[in-house]
Amino acid sequence: MTPDVASLLKYLSVPDFRYRDAHARPARRAHERPARAGLNIFALVSLVRGVGRTTLAANLTTTLGRRGLRAAAVDLDPRADLRAHFRERLDALTRSPMEVRPRLATAFHHGVKGDLSGGVDPAGGSIQAVQQGAGGAEIEWPERNVGFVPLVLDHASTVEAAWDCDAVVLDTAAGASDAVEQALAEADEVIIVARPNRENVNAVHATEALLARYRMRSWRRTRARYLINRFDGRRPADRVALAELRHLLGPRLVPTAIQDDTAVPEALVEGRCIEDFAPGSQVVSDLQAVARELAP
């Protein structure tokens, strides 16, 4: 086909004809990781602020880790609030004896997951270590199977720091951004966190548009699921909003809703996870159910 004919067809916008310009610059694409068996990356995303993504990321990671998976929470939010949820356990890391910490860091760097001689911190009874990841990102291990990756400028390196985990939970900022685009490209599954209210019901259309714009660039085609956070069945508005979301989303709505509980912000004030702060709360039971749903 001559260049003139190709230009004419392009000008006429012939249906079902695929145009290919050998001189055109390729579109910018988000970094996509190679697949690794056994690794599941979950991106927590929302266009609405204040839905509890960061708190959910920290508590869900802890729940996954305590179920036997090697799990890490990755901070992709410029506010860098995720660390506060691990504060008590990370503070214990700084109190670890100097002769213990280097040995632990070396062991974790080589993927040792079993018991480590001398690897129990007398201050907190947990194994803690810091592992250097790709691109200068570090993964900190406040517990044997619960890791935390602080925010670095290179989002791809932040995610790659947790490459040897079984489950990675990405905490993103509200709205569309480069970090959210990266998370959508990296994730095996996208979880849209929503509160049961009118604002979140109205945001479904815009959220679906965001997913269509970024998610389809990735080779992973799993449809995003929605998770209701801070639900209180005593509030009529919550019940109405949940019914509307069920009607809009159908099976894409995770069956378990995370209950609203004042113990959650109280645990944050102390820098603790909800499972340690209020082990008998309904929220802990809900998190365990969601963890089974995401990683059976």
Side-chain angles (χ1 to χ4, degrees):
M1 182 182 301
T2 66
D4 291 341
V5 174
S7 298
L8 178 62
L9 289 172
K10 186 173 182 179
Y11 176 77
L12 294 175
S13 299
V14 177
D16 300 323
F17 185 85
R18 297 182 62 186
Y19 309 104
R20 182 178 179 182
D21 187 349
H23 302 288
R25 296 178 60 184
R28 185 178 69 85
R29 299 182 62 182
H31 170 81
E32 292 186 8
R33 62 176 175 89
R36 184 180 78 73
L39 171 63
N40 285 302
I41 296 182
F42 305 100
L44 302 188
V45 178
S46 176
L47 290 182
V48 181
R49 297 186 181 277
V51 298
R53 274 182 326 279
T54 301
T55 301
L56 181 59
N59 285 315
L60 182 59
T61 300
T62 300
T63 301
L64 290 169
R66 293 181 180 181
R67 291 186 69 237
L69 298 176
R70 200 170 191 221
V74 177
D75 196 348
L76 296 179
D77 188 340
R79 296 183 303 171
D81 291 336
L82 186 59
R83 173 178 288 275
H85 296 269
F86 296 95
R87 187 177 67 249
E88 183 195 47
R89 288 172 283 176
L90 290 174
D91 286 348
L93 172 62
T94 63
R95 296 193 299 268
S96 298
M98 293 305 295
E99 67 273 11
V100 172
R101 293 176 64 198
R103 184 159 65 252
L104 292 175
T106 301
F108 273 90
H109 181 71
H110 291 288
V112 176
K113 299 182 183 180
D115 292 334
L116 300 175
S117 176
V120 178
D121 178 10
S126 300
I127 288 184
Q128 290 110 6
V130 178
Q131 177 182 335
Q132 188 72 29
E138 286 187 345
I139 179 168
E140 303 177 50
W141 294 95
E143 295 182 27
R144 179 188 299 279
N145 287 328
V146 179
F148 162 68
V149 182
L151 179 71
V152 297
L153 293 179
D154 184 351
H155 300 138
S157 296
T158 307
V159 178
E160 289 170 5
W163 228 238
D164 63 342
C165 294
D166 301 312
V168 175
V169 180
L170 307 180
D171 175 37
T172 65
S177 65
D178 290 342
V180 170
E181 180 178 354
Q182 180 64 38
L184 293 176
E186 293 281 358
D188 296 298
E189 183 161 4
V190 176
I191 305 298
I192 309 299
V193 184
R195 292 190 62 180
N197 57 31
R198 176 55 49 190
E199 183 180 11
N200 281 268
V201 172
N202 294 339
V204 169
H205 180 74
T207 301
E208 291 298 301
L210 173 71
L211 293 171
R213 188 161 64 249
Y214 292 130
R215 183 66 171 167
M216 294 307 294
R217 297 180 185 179
S218 172
W219 59 271
R220 297 170 182 80
R221 295 294 185 260
T222 304
R223 297 189 71 186
R225 287 195 281 179
Y226 287 70
L227 175 62
I228 301 301
N229 194 32
R230 300 182 62 182
F231 172 74
D232 189 340
R234 297 170 298 181
R235 294 191 291 250
D238 284 26
R239 299 196 300 269
V240 171
L242 180 59
E244 289 189 50
L245 288 168
R246 282 176 174 162
H247 176 73
L248 286 171
L249 302 169
R252 294 177 60 199
L253 186 66
V254 176
T256 301
I258 307 294
Q259 300 296 308
D260 195 8
D261 194 327
T262 56
V264 175
E266 290 171 1
L268 173 58
V269 171
E270 297 190 12
R272 303 173 65 187
C273 67
I274 187 63
E275 192 168 333
D276 289 341
F277 185 81
S281 67
Q282 180 61 43
V283 176
V284 172
S285 178
D286 294 338
L287 286 166
Q288 292 171 346
V290 171
R292 289 192 296 269
E293 178 80 16
L294 299 180

